[in-house]
Amino acid sequence: MTPQDYAHNFAQVKHRINQACLQANRDPNDVSLLAVSKTQPAAAVAAFIALGQRAFGENYLQDALPKIAVHPDATWHFIGPIQSNKTKPIAEHFDWVESVDRLKIAQRLSAQRPTDRAPLNILLQVNISQEESKSGFLPAELIAAAQEMALLPGLVIRGLMAIPAATDDMAAQRQAFAQMRVLFEQLQTTLPQHPIDTLSMGMSNDLEAAILEGATQIRIGTDLFGARVKS
Ligand SMILES: *Cc1c(COP(=O)(O)O)cnc(C)c1O
């Protein structure tokens, strides 16, 4: 991939966002783009920073840390599964964690967030398609868990994240995203004192459906960076 390829992909993704917003009668400024740079080299991150991109998503701690060290002024979102023995470096190095899927992880992130940094922004991951293989809160347990997490001083709850079951059927994509939007609105009502402003849903294959159903952040890897580098 050359810098020209990245510029082309970036323009294409922005165009898709704009088209979906037009269809949804939404302001494109209300949909932020998270560039998912997992497995990609620091040079690829640099290319997107040069194009004006600021927010990057990473799934693997060891893969992310060198890139964060090179680009400390970008905004870094942890979006991968979290083992409890990795919470400390995650709390130290990231600005957001989108994949909080159990209370214990939230408690550890809160306790381990350095006091000289702003509270860690978190999203609660929801297993919206209720798949055995996926992590995340089940819809029925989400609100009670959020109420407990809202008491943790090192965190600020910003909203929800989901990875619905993969499907090419747009009606099915929209149905899962619409369920997320209902939960998001419930969360806003439950925690009126919290800045619940982020509904992170939609990836390369389903960003249009997500935007139509109210996503405020989409997470794009493949359609920006090309196929992932296998490690
Ligand atoms: C890899 C990943 C993405 C990006 O997926 P693409 O289909 O490559 O756009 C988004 N969100 C999460 C949580 C991911 O792990």
Side-chain angles (χ1 to χ4, degrees):
M1 300 288 286
T2 65
Q4 288 78 8
D5 293 328
Y6 290 137
H8 173 80
N9 289 352
F10 193 58
Q12 287 259 317
V13 167
K14 293 275 173 157
H15 179 71
R16 286 172 63 193
I17 295 171
N18 288 337
Q19 290 301 113
C21 285
L22 203 61
Q23 193 188 339
N25 199 16
R26 297 184 57 194
D27 182 345
N29 293 318
D30 294 340
V31 181
S32 68
L33 172 61
L34 184 69
V36 177
S37 48
K38 65 185 178 202
T39 80
Q40 304 291 342
V45 171
F48 280 99
I49 288 177
L51 293 167
Q53 178 64 24
R54 285 290 167 268
F56 295 87
E58 290 282 342
N59 293 51
Y60 312 106
L61 182 68
Q62 296 312 324
D63 176 40
L65 291 179
K67 291 179 250 184
I68 299 175
V70 177
H71 299 290
D73 295 337
T75 304
W76 292 94
H77 295 228
F78 193 85
I79 62 174
I82 306 176
Q83 295 161 271
S84 53
N85 64 350
K86 299 282 169 60
T87 50
K88 187 161 189 282
I90 292 173
E92 288 171 350
H93 293 282
F94 283 82
D95 303 291
W96 291 68
V97 177
E98 302 202 358
S99 43
V100 174
D101 63 351
R102 50 204 195 277
L103 181 60
K104 180 184 170 195
I105 293 296
Q107 287 166 333
R108 292 177 64 93
L109 290 171
S110 175
Q112 293 167 335
R113 180 66 169 174
T115 48
D116 62 346
R117 295 199 62 177
L120 185 64
N121 296 295
I122 66 160
L123 302 182
L124 310 192
Q125 185 172 349
V126 181
N127 187 354
I128 194 65
S129 305
Q130 312 211 18
E131 295 169 279
E132 290 283 346
S133 60
K134 290 240 177 84
S135 42
F137 292 97
L138 294 173
E141 62 191 19
L142 176 72
I143 295 297
Q147 283 171 320
E148 294 213 52
M149 284 184 253
L151 306 172
L152 298 170
L155 309 180
V156 47
I157 302 180
R158 299 291 296 269
L160 302 177
M161 184 275 263
I163 313 168
T167 169
D168 288 332
D169 174 8
M170 194 171 188
Q173 291 172 358
R174 288 189 63 165
Q175 191 182 28
F177 291 139
Q179 290 171 345
M180 283 299 297
R181 190 203 181 119
V182 170
L183 290 172
F184 182 65
E185 287 168 358
Q186 273 177 19
L187 187 65
Q188 288 175 320
T189 315
T190 309
L191 300 177
Q193 254 64 274
H194 291 249
I196 312 283
D197 57 5
T198 305
L199 181 54
S200 173
M201 57 187 194
M203 313 196 293
S204 293
N205 265 336
D206 54 13
L207 74 88
E208 284 84 2
I211 289 172
L212 286 170
E213 298 299 343
T216 71
Q217 179 192 98
I218 58 170
R219 309 178 308 271
I220 307 299
T222 310
D223 285 359
L224 288 175
F225 292 90
R228 275 187 274 287
V229 185
K230 293 268 169 353
S231 47

